[in-house]
Structures are given as C-alpha cells and as structure tokens.
Amino acid sequence: MDDFLKHFRSKQLEKSQETLLPTQCPYCSVQCSMTLIEEAFMTTKQYKAKPNKEDTTSGGRMCIKGANAHQHVYHKERITSPLLKIDGEFVPISWELAIEYIAERFHSIQTHDGNDAIGVYGGGSLTNEEAYLLGKFARVALKTKHIDYNGRFCMSAAAAASNAAFGLDRGLTNSLNDIPHTNVIILAGTNIADCQPTIVPYFRQAKKNGAYIIVIDPRETATTKLADLHLKVKPGTDSVLATGLLKAIKQEGYIDHAFINSRTTGFEHLDTHLDSFTLDDVSSITGVPTKDIIEAGRQYGAAKEGFIFTARGVEQHANGSDTVKQFINLVLATGKIGRHASGFGSITGQGNGQGGREHGQKADQLPGYRSIENDLDRKIISSIWDIDEKNLPRKGVSAYEMIEKMMDEDITALFIMGSNPIVSNPNAILVKKAIQKLKFLVVVDMFISETAELADLILPSSSYLEDEGTMTNLEGKVTLRKGERPPPKDVKHDWEILCLLAKALNKENGFEFTSPKQIFDELRLASRGSKADYFGISYERLSHEALAWPCPHQEHSGTPRLFETRFAHSDGKAIFSPLVMLHSCEAPPEYPLLLTTGRVMAHYLTGVQTRRSPDLFKKSPEPLVEMHPETAARYHIQHDELIHLYSTQGSVVMRACLTDKIRKDTLFAPFHWGGSQAINRLVAPFLDPVCHMPAFKLTYAGMKPITGEIDSQDSGGLIYETVDQGSS
C-alpha cells in the first residue's frame, strides 16, 4: 500500500503544472515586487509568493501581508458580476444593463440637480493610469468639480507642508539607499516595523553603521526598539516638541547659517520667536523630559548627515500640516537636505498614495501636480483632453467635506472606486447617514464592503494580480506592475469600466483606450514640463528598471535625490514656516483619555481585503484597544475584557489589551474593522484648515466595562461570529 501511495503521488507531481505570475504587493507604499507561484495538482491548486531579489526598493524582502495577498483574490466572496439592489437584495445583472442604468440615473440626476450633484470618490490603491482616468472621467465625462480620494486621509498634511517649504511634494527627498550612510535619524509618528516592515533593514544597517536613532511616539512599538532615544510624546503635542527641538539646536550652536543664507528665506522671522519660551515649557506640554529634548536636538544638530521622517502619527491632526512644517524647519535650519545621506521624508501609506495625488484625484489638482485653479495648467490639460478650458470644472472640496455636502443634499449621487468611506472617514456614524441620503450610489470593488452594502449598484473590479499598470512608491519611483492572471469572466478593470461609462454618457472622445499603456502615454504627455514630470518614463523603460520622477526625457535617468542645487520655488529657495504657538492638549473631564488610532501589521486600511485572507485574519481576528494597566485599573477593566469606548461622536465595542508600553493617558486602537468596531465612529470631523486632514490621531474619549450580555449587534458581529474564509 505504501508503495502504491508513493507511486500515485509521484504521478501527481509529474502531472502538476506550475504557473508564474510576476506582480507587486497591493498594499503599502514600498510596493514590493514578487512572483506568485501557482501549482496545480489535478483538481487542487496551491499558491506561494516568492519575493523578487532584484527589487531595488525592497531588496528581495516581503512581509506577512505580501506573502498572503493572493488569498483574497481567490476568496469565494469575491464579486464576479454587476449587482443591482432590488427590494433590498443584490441581484446579478449584465454589464450592458449595469452601464445603461448608471448612465440613465446620472443623466437624470444631473438634469435635475446640476452637474456638481455627482461626487466621485477614489482610492490610493488605484494604478496611476486609473487615478489619471478617474480624474479625467469626473471632469470631462461627468463635468463635476466634486472629486477627491481617501489619500486625503494619508498624505495631505505632508504634501501641504512640503509644497509650502520646498515647492514640491514627493514622499522621500532621497532614495532609501542613502539611509544606511547617515549619522542620525528622527522617526516622528511612524511605526515602520508594522506599517512598512520591508524597509526596516535600511534603518538597522544605519544603526549598525553607528547612526543614532530617535523615535517620537506615545507608544513603545517594534520600531522604538531600534531607538537610542524614545521620546514618548503626549498625543497632539508633536508640533510643540518639534519647536522645542529647534530651540535646543539653536542653544547648542548647531544652526547652519551658511545654508540658511544661501538656500532659504524666512529664518529671521522664525528665529525671533525662539526666545519666547523655555524648554521646560515644552517639556510640561509634551511630557518629554527637558534633558531628552536637549539630547535629541544635540544629536541631530551635531551630526554631519541626518534624516527626518514623518508619518501619520504627526500628520493626522487638525494642525497636521503645521506640525510637518516644524519638522521641516529642523531640516532647513541644519542644512541637512539636498545631498547624500541627508534629507526629509514623509513615509507614504497607501500603495499608490503618491501617484494618486499627482495625477488628478485630489479636488484641487490636475495631472502632473498641476493646479486646477492655475490658468496655464488648465489650458495645457484642456488642450490634451481636447475640451474647451471654460468647461473644465474648478476645484471641489475634500473627501470629508464631500460627505457634508451629501448630508446637505448638495451631492445627491456618488461614484466610488476603490474606497470604503463608511469605515475610513471620521465621524463614521454621520458618514453612513449621509450616504444613505443619496439618490444613487455606485461602488466599484472586489467585495461587498461596509459601504458597498448601501450601494444601489456594485461593479466588480479586477485584483492586483490581474490589473496591469504603474504605481509610484514612497521614493517617487515609478514601477510597472504586470497583470498576468486573467480576471474572472465577468470582472473588468477599473479603466475599462470608466471607458464604458464615458461611452454610455456620450463622452467616448478621449476615452477610446484599449490598454493601460495607452492611458499612461497620455498621462506622460499631461505631466510633461510639470513638477511631477513623467514624460521620460515609458512602459519599455519600466520593464527594465524603476525610475524616480521627475524624468523629463527618454535619456534622463530619473531623480533619486531632490533639491541638490535648488528647491522648486521660483527663486530656487526653501521657505521656513513660522513657529506654532505653544499649546497643551487637555482632555475635558467627561472624556479624559487621549485616543489615537493606527495600523497593525496583519491588516491594511479598512480590512476589506486582509480580513478575507485566512492567514492574516488568524493573525489578528479582532481589534484590540491598548491601555496602560494602571489606567485599566482606574476603570475596573480587566485584560481581554470587552469594553465600551465613547466620545462626543459615538461609541464602539472592543476588547481591552493591557500593556505598559503606552502612556497612561493614552489609548490606541486600530482602524481595520467596520460595524460597531469601526474606531472612526469616535473621531470628530476636525479638519486641518490648510489641507483638510481629519484629526484621526487625537480624540478625547472615555471608556467603561460592559455589564450584562453582549449581542452580535453590539460587538459588531465579528467577535462571536465565525467568519468563513473560503479556500485559497
């Protein structure tokens, strides 16, 4: 019998077929390239992801999300045909009927309510081609000014600050390859070990080479383990801390006056205010000891080369753009930019958060980082799109402000592509109410997300394994992602959907694309001569190498390092920002705790995909709210106990996780879950006045243990319910 089984298995192996699917991870901004190996044994299939050792960004590394990304692609809950809601139930219909129905409803709504009554809501995971085409579709086919995307909640604060200081916004000013050679690194509000784990080796190598690492975070994380100095800042006071670091740098004599005089403006005005406060004042507000502020300033100021990296921890605040400006002031005051191993970076979150905002998904931007309010930019793009410039809409409003317009019934229909705003927006309870008021909602997605559940019509879209196109990673490198796996029979690519809809809306001219390469070639033309110039980048070149923009012509090798000789302002100089006023963040008595939100390694964004990957779901099956044991004791809360969290906006149910690795006044909860476990139900809609970033990282909250039985509605249906993950 044993010999028979061995013979049978050997015959199985002989008959097995191996298919190689080169691709890129669909999740974070590193965009690690890999090959998915599909092995077919008779009627069964097995999958294994193998990292690309030639990847110049990831270095052949891959995290748990990338290794399991394929699992959601093969999940049985994936939508494989258009779904129309009839009497509260989704019914499969043909593409012809779906497209005809959308065109008819859009035409009727715009006839009655005006062109701007339709909103378009995009996502930071769309390819450059699809982000570009979505912006063109909104403004040309629909003629609406109302388009924005979930990248507003990712990079807008850093983008506003970089544009103000440098005249240009790109995630990192330098290649990651510069990091191991630097002398000091400040990581402000970024937990790269969980969020971008495949770039951690760059920082480990820097530390091995002698670099001093400073991490600013209210929690102890896997990233703070790298730190020589951990500044455990009070949430909401990062701008004050950055101001204190600048004062310490000045006191220690590390201001680079030669650089300031030759390459910047505005330092004199800022300098006069540094004597208006003491470092003890900074310490009392931020909770960071004065001696640590001095040490951090000394280490960064004295170093020959240095980097500062920010991320959502300091950016997702109602003053996020000002906070980033304060960290950029440190860079400019010490002259640590525009050269090898020195620079600034905001670590992009979403897979194509960079490209998405460069090419037209933001309310105020046209392709190539052009401004929709600039007359010359409008003429250039109108010419390329073959429309009259007067018919090109002006700027709309930010993502959350679109929600407010739905609540006010100024926007009465919404087209969503690749986003889940009911979970990702602040004030999530109101967001759901606003979306329910719409006359018509279309959602393009792979799954029935929390938002798609409310749709009148859902259109199935292709996955990262199937959808060819370019992505722009955190370094500003443009990469070409192959789409080698054929999509399911009735599933279409996002760009195909937009072209079909444009034709149905009698706007076929300008949407006759038959491949993503054709769209990219038009994008290249639209970006030519702009700040984000892709003109010299082509599919042919990208098949051999990734290229960092700007890349103005085919012989150009790209720009791994920005600002070596000049900044992007017209005079070539960077601009210092005024100091922010010192202010404390004192919670009101009824909401005494400081709630901050973030990610866990196993999940991504609202979890629509990762919660359908069995191995990722097993790793992290539910959200946990972290709190200090002494804080828990004050509220009579036990470890692993279900609790109510609440704020002025609403409440959620989560399980308590006691840890001494967090400040006693602070709570931390992840945002990857929906229902009544959606932490953004608690977040108030306070927006940065410049970039309209919501204040995700600071919510005044309270909590209490739950008494009595909890039903599935209270628990969000995820704690007790067994989720069938399907096969992979």
Side-chain angles (χ1 to χ4, degrees), residues 518-536:
Q518 291 179 347
I519 303 170
F520 188 73
D521 285 340
E522 185 175 293
L523 179 158
R524 292 171 57 211
L525 188 63
S527 73
R528 187 177 190 178
S530 70
K531 291 181 177 180
D533 194 333
Y534 280 39
F535 186 69

Side-chain angles (χ1 to χ4, degrees), residues 287-405:
V288 177
T290 301
K291 65 179 180 60
D292 289 347
I293 299 172
I294 294 171
E295 179 63 14
R298 180 184 295 125
Q299 289 288 343
Y300 181 73
K304 180 181 178 183
E305 312 292 356
F307 278 109
I308 293 180
F309 298 101
T310 66
R312 309 305 83 74
V314 301
E315 297 165 12
Q316 288 182 324
H317 292 274
N319 64 335
S321 60
D322 269 340
T323 300
V324 179
K325 289 175 185 177
Q326 303 310 305
F327 281 102
I328 292 176
N329 281 345
L330 301 178
V331 175
L332 298 178
T334 57
K336 291 184 175 67
I337 193 167
R339 63 175 192 261
H340 174 68
S342 284
F344 170 78
S346 174
I347 299 177
T348 307
Q350 297 189 69
N352 200 32
Q354 182 71 46
R357 67 185 184 275
E358 291 168 5
H359 297 302
Q361 284 196 92
K362 276 185 72 179
D364 59 345
Q365 286 180 195
L366 292 170
Y369 252 137
R370 301 185 189 276
S371 169
I372 202 165
E373 294 297 315
N374 180 278
D375 289 342
L376 178 59
D377 288 343
R378 291 174 60 84
K379 288 176 182 176
I380 291 171
I381 297 301
S382 296
S383 174
I384 292 168
W385 288 351
D386 193 24
I387 62 173
D388 192 319
E389 186 267 332
K390 70 175 183 292
N391 293 326
L392 182 64
R394 294 282 172 174
K395 70 177 180 180
V397 297
S398 70
Y400 182 77
E401 290 171 306
M402 284 176 61
I403 301 295
E404 293 178 327
K405 285 190 172 293

Side-chain angles (χ1 to χ4, degrees), residues 163-168 265 531 566-575:
N163 280 320
F166 307 136
L168 179 69
T265 62
K531 291 181 177 180
R566 59 181 285 117
F567 292 96
H569 289 297
S570 58
D571 62 359
K573 295 187 175 184
I575 300 173

Side-chain angles (χ1 to χ4, degrees), residues 189-205:
T190 174
N191 182 12
I192 52 172
D194 280 351
C195 300
Q196 288 88 12
T198 57
I199 68 171
V200 171
Y202 289 102
F203 296 89
R204 287 193 182 128
Q205 187 59 49

Side-chain angles (χ1 to χ4, degrees), residues 640-704:
D640 212 32
E641 180 180 15
L642 286 175
I643 66 169
H644 273 303
L645 290 178
Y646 55 89
S647 74
T648 57
Q649 308 306 119
S651 66
V652 297
V653 175
M654 286 190 181
R655 198 176 299 279
C657 176
L658 274 56
T659 173
D660 61 2
K661 301 182 185 303
I662 192 168
R663 287 175 56 97
K664 296 176 185 178
D665 58 1
T666 302
L667 305 175
F668 170 84
F671 52 67
H672 311 293
W673 281 265
S676 56
Q677 292 185 313
I679 195 64
N680 286 335
R681 290 162 61 101
L682 274 59
V683 176
F686 301 131
L687 306 181
D688 183 299
V690 176
C691 65
H692 309 286
M693 168 73 82
F696 292 108
K697 291 297 189 280
L698 178 62
T699 297
Y700 298 127
M703 64 179 179
K704 60 184 178 181

Side-chain angles (χ1 to χ4, degrees), residues 30 75 122 130 139 322 341 423 467 534 579 601 694:
V30 182
H75 196 278
E130 288 158 347
R139 290 157 178 140
D322 269 340
V423 179
D467 189 22
Y534 280 39
L579 287 182
M601 184 185 287

